[in-house]
Amino acid sequence: MFKSSRTASGPGAALAALAGAQFTVMLATSIVNVALPQIRSGVGLSDNGTTWVINAYGLAFGALLLAGGRVADLLGRRSVLLAGLALFGAASVAAGLADTSAVLIGARAAQGVGAAAIAPAALALVMDVFPPGPNRGKALAVWGAVSGAGGAAGVLLGGVLTQTWGWSSIFYAVGIGAFGVLAAVAAFVRHQRTGTAAGRFDLLGTAAVTLALTALVWGLTTARRSGWTDASVLAAFGLATVLMAAFVQIELRHPHPLLPVQLLRAGRVTKGNFLMALLGSVWIALFFFLPLYQQQVLGSSPLMTGFGQLPLAAANMLGSTLAPRIVRRIGATATVAAALLSEAAGLLWLSRISAHGSYLVDILGPSILVGLGLSVAFVQLTALSVEGVAKEYAGLAGGLVNTSRQVGGAIGLAVLATLAGSVTNHVSAHQSYLEALTAGYRVAFGVSAAVLTTAALLAVLLTRRPSVPTATPAPTSAPVVNAPNG
């Protein structure tokens, strides 16, 4: 499938190992969702604490991705990837052994730190192995397939393991997988003696942006319980604003900034990342709310909830495989817009779920639409987000696109969980508990559909390549050729 100047098996084996690293990261994002009720009773979590089982991982992951990408560029991507996998595996085992909520949430945060090293380093290594061209497009399609499949497979595996061996087993499985991928990377990914970038690490800028993102998501999560006008929530938002302003000033003055202007100006990097953040804002929330609806409203077991994700996973893999062909036929801009609208249609369909519904009527059809749209959008937005990036910034570009998706997801989950909880509380005053839960989930899916519809419109406006204006040529000038759109 992939041709390279190296042996045919070399790039393929390396891609398999690197895709395995991405799959493991995405698996850890969703594998806990089905087991949340069991985890909550097992370690004594409150409703707010249950959300932090998700957010502790997502926040640490998203807040440190830029740092992980920069460290990978400075110290060597393979070395950073191996270190990240080792930390990730150890933290997963610690989560499985946890007997208190504090230990569990701390282990999830440590998983996120490891993931912040894994994701940008692995994506940068894919870019190293496959230079720009058709083979890179195929490699990114594989990347998209395992990313989306990892989210869906997490729900399936989480259901099987939770029902068979209990919630601790899901973390042991992730840990074993991480150590297995570590061995594969060590065997099949070529060693790098040094980093590809010069300069020194921007410690002050990293601290500022990490603390800013932490304060932001903490404020959003706390607002669900305490209200948006609570003094601590407003203080968290204020601190996030001050720290982000400080980060901008630090970056403008630092000789080797964490986020250099050259990276943001390359290709369609900034636009791709903005759209990826919008996609991410509904991605994690989807895999949070859908299993809860299946279990709490439809009464599905963890095992059947997991099996219910198989059509979504299959659609995701199909969409990722088709993405490069679709781009060649209709262009990048039209592909992104159509994919986002497809996912939005599936989420709008989900916004019609019933408290007395069934899997076949309420979930199967929209899951397929969502899977197709999500996968194609993810593949193409990833490609746009690394378009034209210089080799020395490949790790940082990988960190940035993952930051956009992960932080967007953390913010989206916090906002949508707050909204759904508010609707549920309001409806429960005059309807049954199941009706109230379903009303909250419907609103969350409906708002998600609106976000993606807006993202599709923005994609049309933002990602089209501007045409080069045709001037009247001088007699000796060559004709001016307009750049293609999309």
Side-chain angles (χ1 to χ4, degrees):
M1 180 179 179
F2 297 101
K3 297 179 181 180
S4 170
S5 59
R6 305 184 186 97
T7 62
S9 61
L15 178 61
L18 296 170
Q22 176 70 359
F23 181 88
T24 303
V25 167
M26 297 304 300
L27 188 74
T29 303
S30 63
I31 196 170
V32 301
N33 291 346
V34 173
L36 283 176
Q38 291 78 11
I39 293 173
R40 179 166 52 192
S41 60
V43 295
L45 286 167
S46 64
D47 287 342
N48 187 59
T50 303
T51 303
W52 272 105
V53 174
I54 305 293
N55 278 346
Y57 176 80
L59 178 57
F61 184 18
L64 291 172
L65 274 163
L66 288 177
R70 181 59 174 164
V71 169
D73 287 338
L74 290 172
L75 301 182
R77 292 153 190 167
R78 182 177 180 273
S79 298
V80 170
L81 176 57
L82 292 173
L85 285 165
L87 173 60
F88 189 90
S92 300
V93 174
L97 294 171
D99 57 0
T100 67
S101 59
V103 172
L104 176 60
I105 292 173
R108 285 286 286 170
Q111 275 187 312
V113 175
I118 295 169
L123 181 55
L125 286 167
V126 170
M127 295 168 65
D128 286 343
V129 174
F130 299 96
N135 284 347
R136 177 177 285 186
K138 295 175 183 177
L140 289 177
V142 172
W143 191 261
V146 300
S147 297
V155 180
L156 171 60
L157 186 59
V160 173
L161 293 176
T162 299
Q163 186 156 317
T164 307
W165 290 292
W167 66 265
S168 295
S169 64
I170 66 177
F171 295 111
Y172 297 141
V174 171
I176 292 170
F179 289 125
V181 172
L182 188 153
V185 170
F188 299 120
V189 178
R190 192 168 61 179
H191 178 67
Q192 289 181 313
R193 294 184 179 179
T194 60
T196 59
R200 56 189 176 87
F201 187 70
D202 179 10
L203 182 60
L204 189 58
T206 300
V209 73
T210 300
L211 292 173
L213 293 171
T214 302
L216 174 62
V217 178
W218 185 89
L220 288 165
T221 304
T222 305
R224 179 187 176 190
R225 181 184 72 253
S226 304
W228 293 94
T229 59
D230 181 80
S232 62
V233 172
L234 295 176
F237 291 156
L239 179 61
T241 302
V242 171
L243 288 170
M244 193 58 71
F247 171 68
V248 172
Q249 292 302 313
I250 292 167
E251 297 304 280
L252 291 174
R253 299 174 183 178
H254 199 284
H256 304 288
L258 178 66
L259 195 59
V261 175
Q262 300 96 307
L263 173 62
L264 298 178
R265 290 177 177 172
R268 289 177 278 188
V269 169
T270 300
K271 297 168 183 177
N273 274 277
F274 174 68
L275 293 171
M276 182 65 86
L278 293 177
L279 177 64
S281 70
V282 303
W283 184 333
I284 294 178
L286 169 70
F287 288 107
F288 179 78
F289 289 112
L290 193 55
L292 288 178
Y293 170 69
Q294 289 178 256
Q295 291 186 90
Q296 295 184 347
V297 178
L298 299 185
S300 299
S301 66
L303 181 62
M304 293 309 298
T305 298
F307 277 115
Q309 301 299 309
L310 285 176
L312 194 156
N316 202 296
M317 296 179 70
L318 176 62
S320 297
T321 302
L322 295 176
R325 301 178 188 178
I326 297 172
V327 172
R328 288 195 296 269
R329 181 174 293 271
I330 65 174
T333 295
T335 298
V336 171
L340 291 172
L341 288 175
S342 173
E343 187 178 357
L347 288 165
L348 187 61
W349 193 349
L350 282 173
S351 72
R352 299 174 61 83
I353 55 176
S354 167
H356 307 287
S358 67
Y359 174 82
L360 291 177
V361 173
D362 293 86
I363 297 178
L364 179 59
S367 291
I368 294 173
L369 270 179
V370 167
L372 289 170
L374 172 62
S375 56
V376 175
F378 176 75
V379 169
Q380 192 52 37
L381 289 178
T382 300
L384 291 178
S385 299
V386 299
E387 180 183 81
V389 173
K391 185 175 182 180
E392 61 266 28
Y393 294 131
L396 187 55
L400 182 59
V401 66
N402 278 284
T403 298
S404 300
R405 178 181 57 80
Q406 196 64 28
V407 174
I411 294 172
L413 176 59
V415 172
L416 290 172
T418 300
L419 180 60
S422 299
V423 171
T424 296
N425 290 336
H426 176 71
V427 174
S428 63
H430 49 84
Q431 293 192 32
S432 69
Y433 180 63
L434 291 184
E435 292 282 1
L437 277 178
T438 304
Y441 299 152
R442 280 199 297 261
V443 170
F445 290 135
V447 171
S448 296
V451 169
L452 290 184
T453 301
T454 302
L457 296 175
L458 290 173
V460 174
L461 296 175
L462 296 178
T463 64
R464 291 177 65 87
R465 290 187 182 278
S467 297
V468 178
T470 304
T472 302
T476 58
S477 299
V480 177
V481 181
N482 289 341
N485 289 323

